[in-house]
Amino acid sequence: MESVPSAALAAELWEEFLMEYVQLGTSGLRVSEVILGCMSFGESAHGNHKWSLPEEGSRALIRQALEAGITTFDTADVYSVGSSEEFTGRALRDFARRDEVVIATKVNGRMYPGPHGQGLSRVHIMQAVDASLRRLGVDHIDLYQIHRFDPTVPVEETMEALHDIVKAGKVRYIGASSMYAWQFAQMQYTADLGGWTRFISMQDHYNLLMREEEREMLPFCVDQGVGVIPWSPLARGRLTRPWGTTTRRTESDEFGTRLYHQQEQGDLTIVGTVASIAAQRQVSMAQVGLAWVRQQSPVTAPIVGVTKPEHLQDAIASVDLTLTDDELDALAAPYLPHLPEGF
C-alpha cells in the first residue's frame, strides 16, 4: 500500500506544480489544462481494452498526474466494465481531497444484459448513476456525460432524467460527447423548453487528423458557451510516432481499427510535419500534437490517455509549448476533408 503524502507535502507539491485552471465553457466549473483520460485503467480481462493497466500501474500514474497539478479525471462506466471507475475512485480517495479534483464519467454503454442494460432511457440513467457513484466511492459526480447520442429514446426523456439527477444532488453538471451538431442542438433546446439542465461540455473527436468538428460542432459550442474537451487528441497515438508504426494497443484496439483509414496521403503528410516540427523544437511529437489542439480557440482542455510515465510527462510539457503561426499553418495545410468518425 502506497504511503499517502502528508498535508504539508501535498500542499507543497500543489503549489510547485499547479496547472492553470480553465473555465469549462461559461459554467462555473474549472478544470485543469490537461484532463487525464482513464480508459487505459482497468481490468484488461474485462471488455475490449486489452492494453489497460492493472490497479498498481493505474494508481502510480494517477498519483503522478495529481503531483503535476492535473485535477480533472475522465472515465466511463463502460471502460473495462466498471473497473476503470473503481481504480480511479480508490486512487483519488487515497491521494487527493474530494474538493481538489473534478471527476467526470459517462453513461450509455451496455453494462448488463437486458432491455435496460444500456442507453439513455430514464430507467438506465437512474440505475447507472447510482452504480457509478458506488464504484467511484463518492457522493456526487462533478461532470456526468452522455456517451454518444441514443436515437432510440426521446430526447425529452433523456434531458428530464439528467435534470432530475442534478437536482437530486448526485451530479453537479452534465456534458455530452460525439454526435452531429443538429442532435446536440436538439438536446440543448429541448432542455431550454423543459426548463431543464443544459449541457456545459462537448467531448468530441478532434485532432490534426480529424477536424470535421470545425464545420458545425465547434462554432455551435462557441455560440452556446459550451466547453470543448476533445477525446483522442493524438489520434490514438498516430500523431506520436512514424506513420504505420504499430503498438500493443493498435493491435488489440477494436474501436480504433475503425478509425483513420480515410485520406491517408494527407494524414501521412500531417504526421510528417508533426515529426519535422518536433525535431526542430527538440520536443516529442506528442507535445506538438497536443499543443496544436490546445491552441485551437474553442478547445478548453484535451483529454489525454496514458499508459506510461513518459506519456504523462509529454502531456504536462505540452502546456508550456506554444506553436508559432507558421507552424500552425504548416500543420493545418495538408488536411483533406473526411467523413466524421467516432459517433
Side-chain angles (χ1 to χ4, degrees):
M1 182 75 174
E2 303 95 327
S3 61
V4 180
S6 67
L9 176 59
E12 181 181 337
L13 290 169
W14 205 258
E15 182 68 24
E16 181 179 356
F17 293 108
L18 186 62
M19 290 187 175
E20 294 291 330
Y21 292 115
V22 284
Q23 191 171 352
L24 191 54
T26 55
S27 77
L29 186 64
R30 294 182 178 272
V31 298
S32 48
E33 293 177 284
V34 170
I35 297 172
L36 187 65
C38 301
M39 184 170 68
S40 53
F41 306 151
E43 296 290 352
S44 60
H46 296 168
N48 297 322
H49 303 157
K50 304 303 181 186
W51 68 89
S52 59
L53 298 178
E55 187 159 13
E56 182 179 355
S58 302
R59 288 171 65 84
L61 288 171
I62 291 171
R63 182 171 183 172
Q64 181 185 352
L66 286 165
E67 291 175 347
I70 292 175
T71 60
T72 309
F73 298 82
D74 176 77
T75 184
D77 58 5
V78 76
Y79 293 165
S80 298
V81 196
S83 61
S84 174
E85 288 183 326
E86 293 170 349
F87 289 7
T88 302
R90 281 196 288 265
L92 292 179
R93 288 198 303 276
D94 287 345
F95 300 142
R97 296 197 314 266
R98 179 65 185 91
D99 61 354
E100 290 176 337
V101 295
V102 172
I103 298 176
T105 192
K106 310 182 200 70
V107 59
N108 193 352
R110 179 164 291 284
M111 293 299 293
Y112 49 87
H116 298 131
Q118 67 176 2
L120 298 178
S121 67
R122 169 174 285 272
V123 175
H124 185 68
I125 288 172
M126 294 300 180
Q127 293 173 342
V129 71
D130 286 341
S132 286
L133 288 168
R134 286 194 299 270
R135 285 189 293 266
L136 289 164
V138 296
D139 63 2
H140 71 275
I141 294 163
D142 298 294
L143 180 63
Y144 198 53
Q145 304 156 103
I146 59 169
H147 212 168
R148 311 297 193 272
F149 185 80
D150 184 353
T152 70
V153 176
V155 168
E156 292 84 357
E157 179 176 339
T158 297
M159 298 310 297
E160 186 176 17
L162 292 170
H163 176 74
D164 287 346
I165 61 175
V166 171
K167 291 307 176 185
K170 298 178 180 182
V171 168
R172 297 292 189 255
Y173 298 91
I174 59 172
S177 65
S178 293
M179 63 183 70
Y180 290 104
W182 70 264
Q183 294 170 324
F184 191 42
Q186 182 185 34
M187 300 191 89
Q188 287 288 69
Y189 293 133
T190 296
D192 289 344
L193 290 170
W196 301 321
T197 304
R198 291 181 120 236
F199 294 118
I200 67 162
S201 63
M202 166 53 63
Q203 184 176 148
D204 58 353
H205 186 198
Y206 185 52
N207 56 57
L208 273 165
L209 304 185
M210 177 51 62
R211 291 170 48 198
E212 296 308 303
E213 298 290 73
E214 293 175 1
R215 302 185 190 281
E216 295 187 359
M217 181 60 80
L218 295 185
F220 180 71
C221 288
V222 171
D223 177 73
Q224 295 293 299
V226 171
V228 177
I229 48 175
W231 59 269
S232 200
L234 293 173
R236 257 164 159 81
R238 286 168 177 80
L239 291 166
T240 69
R241 54 183 181 264
W243 188 261
T245 306
T246 61
T247 65
R248 179 187 176 194
R249 175 171 178 173
T250 59
E251 294 169 354
S252 60
D253 184 0
E254 295 181 12
F255 179 67
T257 60
R258 304 197 297 269
L259 305 174
Y260 310 114
H261 297 297
Q262 309 175 53
Q263 306 290 9
E264 291 198 7
Q265 187 56 50
D267 291 354
L268 172 62
T269 303
I270 292 169
V271 172
T273 305
V274 172
S276 176
I277 293 173
Q280 293 169 8
R281 288 292 200 106
Q282 296 185 327
V283 298
S284 69
M285 292 176 64
Q287 291 180 44
V288 174
L290 289 172
W292 181 88
V293 171
R294 289 187 63 256
Q295 285 181 242
Q296 305 310 301
S297 57
V299 172
T300 303
I303 299 172
V304 183
V306 303
T307 56
K308 299 176 181 178
E310 53 265 34
H311 297 164
L312 188 53
Q313 291 162 7
D314 279 337
I316 295 162
S318 72
V319 172
D320 294 323
L321 178 63
T322 300
L323 301 174
T324 67
D325 289 343
D326 287 345
E327 289 170 334
L328 292 170
D329 291 343
L331 289 165
Y335 184 79
L336 298 171
H338 294 57
L339 293 173
E341 294 179 330
F343 288 11

